[in-house]
Amino acid sequence: MRAAIKEYNYDWLMGSTLSAAAKFPAGTAKEIAWAYRYIPYFKGIVKNFVDAGPPGIYFMDLLAGYYQNILDAHAQGKKIAATTFCSSPVIFYAMDIVPLTFEVLTAIGAMVWKRGMFDYMDYCCEVGMPETACSSQRGALGAYLADMGENIDIVLCDTPGVCDTNANAFVFAAEYLDKPFFQLNYPSTLGDSRSQAYHVKDFQAMIRFLEEQTGKKIDYDRLAENLKEVEAQDAITADLEDMLMMVPTPIPPIYTLMIYAGRFCFAGHPGYTRLLELLRDEAQKRMAAGVPALKAGAENLRVLMCYIDHYTVDINFYNYLEERGIANAGSILTRNFRDYNPYCQALEGSCYGVDLSSPEAMLDTVAQMNARLPMVRSIRGPYDQHGMWLDECLALARLYSVDCIIYNGTPGCRNTWGMVKPFARDIEKQGIPVHIMNDDAFDDRVESWEATRERLDEFFTVRGLL
């Protein structure tokens, strides 16, 4: 790794960048315009979120707070737990543990830094991780392996589905950093009592492990408060998803990123509720005024991302959709699979409810919630079994009236690469065009954004969609 990069604490560097960006709108329009001249490196990403209005500005502040929580953790007597995006943070906030999610931090860095997360990714390989390991973990994880971030206290690999690269990355991190490690298994099936009972016992074991590591007991009153907040968040998310079904939709493409990134970082936290309120309020204003959500001024097309988005610098992917008038119906990351959402009617057994009646009921709720997170829910086994990837995508495609489906991942997504071609063929048989992107969602060196953009244009043109 370059010496210049090692000069800065990674958490401080990223947190300070986002914190400064969130202060931009405090100036007048003239001051903001002049200030952009002094940040040519960051102008693209800052301007995009400032232009997104109150939700975009608040989102930057919320992410800055995520880094600040990591920086302040030890001074406040809290432990830092490295965890995956396939785990709701409600359980950690109830135990006064600060979650640190590699995948989210890598995506943030890839969108903010023109130099990308390349140095950090490469450092993981320098110390022994395979180059084919998922770039979503290798990005931020490299900073911690290089001792450039805050000291991680615990490593938890929680319900990562069948993703072996995900599981191996966390095992590697625990071994290399010599930290206590816990592996939470994923449920083999959803919606049956035997599997759920096993999953709850696994959660109880994880809580005992965390209590031993932190010296603190879980606070069930606090967990109940967090789950009440989840109730409010799920209701607002349902409102947003209803508006996403409208044609044209008042939901801009970037909103879907804010919905799921906020959930991964702050589910059960009032800060995420505030973000969702801002997203809903702005969308409702556009809906009432008849103002289109897309910068193109018209909705020409609707796409469903059947896996993840593209996290290139300056959020170029979302701008691309805006400029071409393409509405983004979201991805497998966007949906929360709460039992009253419309798509749950077509996916029996795939959704969860909230029960606060007892500690056992709350743990069952958290276990059910985690089992509906991406990869755990729909990429757990054969793609064409009931409730799995194919069923889910077809149900969402019909409900959101999409014109095509796009797959994007990383070279490390071996489970999806192993089934994406038959998956795409089955989707095409239903009359829905499918495009398979060959880039890396977090690493532009695999395929440049310019090449990715050309391939997208080619797909839309050849299939007669635009």
Side-chain angles (χ1 to χ4, degrees):
M1 186 179 294
R2 288 180 288 162
I5 291 180
K6 287 187 174 180
E7 287 295 315
Y8 298 95
N9 176 291
Y10 171 77
D11 299 309
W12 174 85
L13 188 66
M14 293 303 303
S16 299
T17 302
L18 290 167
S19 179
K23 293 184 176 71
F24 250 67
T28 64
K30 187 176 180 181
E31 287 170 337
I32 293 170
W34 272 93
Y36 282 140
R37 300 184 181 191
Y38 294 96
I39 56 165
Y41 192 90
F42 298 107
K43 179 183 173 182
I45 185 71
V46 174
K47 191 170 187 310
N48 277 314
F49 279 109
V50 170
D51 290 350
I57 297 162
Y58 185 79
F59 183 63
M60 289 193 291
D61 201 37
L62 197 63
L63 292 181
Y66 192 76
Y67 285 99
Q68 197 60 51
N69 287 344
I70 295 169
L71 289 165
D72 293 343
H74 292 143
Q76 296 174 351
K78 299 177 182 177
K79 299 285 187 183
I80 298 174
T83 178
T84 81
F85 73 107
C86 291
S87 178
S88 172
V90 288
I91 205 88
F92 304 119
Y93 290 130
M95 299 188 74
D96 226 11
I97 293 170
V98 175
L100 184 157
T101 307
F102 295 138
E103 298 89 351
V104 174
L105 300 187
T106 299
I108 295 170
M111 292 187 288
V112 169
W113 292 103
K114 290 187 186 301
R115 70 185 185 212
M117 297 296 283
F118 310 148
D119 290 87
Y120 307 115
M121 290 178 187
D122 292 348
Y123 187 79
C124 289
C125 299
E126 289 175 27
V127 298
M129 285 185 73
E131 196 175 16
T132 53
C134 183
S135 51
S136 70
Q137 284 100 39
R138 279 197 293 121
L141 175 56
Y144 299 101
L145 296 183
D147 196 24
M148 295 168 54
E150 294 303 298
N151 186 29
I152 292 170
D153 300 296
I154 309 162
V155 179
L156 287 164
C157 191
D158 14 35
T159 52
V162 292
C163 182
D164 60 329
T165 54
N166 183 309
N168 286 333
F170 281 80
V171 170
F172 186 93
E175 284 292 317
Y176 189 87
L177 298 171
D178 192 22
K179 300 298 178 185
F181 174 76
F182 187 89
Q183 169 72 61
L184 188 68
N185 292 329
Y186 70 93
S188 57
T189 56
L190 295 182
D192 72 278
S193 56
R194 184 169 176 263
S195 175
Q196 185 59 25
Y198 172 83
H199 202 36
V200 170
K201 286 182 180 176
D202 213 17
F203 261 86
Q204 290 169 336
M206 183 184 78
I207 289 169
R208 287 195 295 272
F209 168 79
L210 291 173
E211 287 176 340
E212 289 170 6
Q213 298 301 321
T214 61
K216 299 176 183 175
K217 292 287 184 184
I218 185 171
D219 183 341
Y220 282 104
D221 290 335
R222 192 170 175 185
L223 180 60
E225 291 303 313
N226 293 347
L227 289 174
K228 287 177 186 172
E229 204 70 35
V230 168
E231 287 265 46
Q233 293 163 358
D234 286 350
I236 301 172
T237 303
D239 289 342
L240 288 164
E241 295 200 344
D242 284 348
M243 287 188 273
L244 203 53
M245 282 189 277
M246 297 173 66
V247 182
T249 177
I251 307 287
I254 191 63
Y255 274 27
T256 58
L257 168 70
M258 291 193 257
I259 290 170
Y260 64 73
R263 184 187 304 132
F264 294 156
C265 295
F266 288 107
H269 190 284
Y272 180 48
T273 310
R274 181 58 186 151
L275 173 66
L276 291 171
E277 289 171 345
L278 290 169
L279 293 170
R280 179 198 58 197
D281 294 348
E282 290 298 307
Q284 286 178 337
K285 284 180 194 173
R286 270 191 295 276
M287 189 170 62
V291 177
L294 297 162
K295 290 176 184 172
E299 184 176 309
N300 302 319
L301 191 68
R302 299 171 73 84
V303 303
L304 173 70
M305 301 298 291
C306 64
Y307 194 41
I308 61 175
D309 293 341
H310 192 285
Y311 308 101
T312 190
V313 68
D314 294 344
I315 57 171
N316 281 327
F317 174 69
Y318 303 95
N319 288 329
Y320 171 88
L321 298 179
E322 289 260 13
E323 290 163 1
R324 281 159 177 74
I326 302 173
N328 180 9
S331 65
I332 68 164
L333 309 180
T334 314
R335 261 84 237 176
N336 62 3
F337 279 79
R338 186 60 196 272
D339 46 11
Y340 47 63
N341 280 326
Y343 45 79
C344 293
Q345 308 307 315
L347 295 165
E348 188 181 353
S350 296
C351 301
Y352 77 94
V354 173
D355 185 350
L356 308 179
S357 60
S358 67
E360 293 74 21
M362 286 190 280
L363 280 186
D364 187 69
T365 294
V366 176
Q368 296 267 9
M369 193 188 307
N370 265 31
R372 272 72 181 178
L373 285 169
M375 296 202 300
V376 189
R377 178 188 70 244
S378 55
I379 307 178
R380 190 179 61 254
Y383 74 94
D384 53 355
Q385 278 193 348
H386 171 66
M388 298 293 284
W389 204 19
L390 181 63
D391 260 9
E392 178 179 320
C393 287
L394 286 175
L396 294 174
R398 289 166 183 145
L399 192 66
Y400 290 91
S401 306
V402 303
D403 300 290
C404 62
I405 290 177
I406 296 177
Y407 168 85
N408 190 43
T410 81
C413 300
R414 286 191 281 274
N415 194 48
T416 55
W417 277 114
M419 55 187 172
V420 72
K421 284 194 175 180
F423 165 82
R425 279 198 296 268
D426 287 346
I427 295 278
E428 291 265 3
K429 286 176 185 172
Q430 303 297 318
I432 304 171
V434 180
H435 176 56
I436 299 173
M437 296 168 71
N438 288 293
D439 56 69
D440 186 317
F442 304 89
D443 188 348
D444 278 358
R445 296 172 300 179
V446 173
E447 180 180 86
S448 70
W449 163 246
E450 289 73 21
T452 299
R453 184 181 59 200
E454 284 188 16
R455 289 177 189 275
L456 285 167
D457 280 339
E458 182 182 42
F459 166 71
F460 292 131
T461 302
V462 170
R463 300 303 294 267
L465 295 167
L466 279 181

